[in-house]
Amino acid sequence: MSVDRKLMRNGNGWALSINSTILGFLDVDPEVNMVKYVIENDKLIITKSDKKIEKNAQ
């Protein structure tokens, strides 16, 4: 699968929006799961992280 996406300005950097279809393929719930990214051979590889998002107690 290949998808071309535009980067968006985010403060002093740039952000990549990941749509729900791609999140579904990765089995990522953005409210619970973190993602891990690695750069290998000039490629950005995004995978589901083993780490979870910590909820702050209020």
Side-chain angles (χ1 to χ4, degrees), residues 2-46:
S2 176
V3 178
D4 293 327
R5 298 289 295 187
K6 178 181 172 184
L7 295 174
M8 296 171 285
R9 194 57 129 145
N10 184 19
N12 290 332
W14 293 88
L16 176 65
S17 174
I18 302 174
N19 68 31
S20 58
T21 303
I22 299 297
L23 291 176
F25 283 131
L26 295 174
D27 191 29
V28 169
D29 177 346
E31 294 185 6
V32 176
N33 306 113
M34 296 180 76
V35 294
K36 177 171 44 173
Y37 59 92
V38 178
I39 298 174
E40 283 184 12
N41 301 321
D42 296 329
K43 293 181 182 179
L44 176 62
I45 301 169
I46 302 171

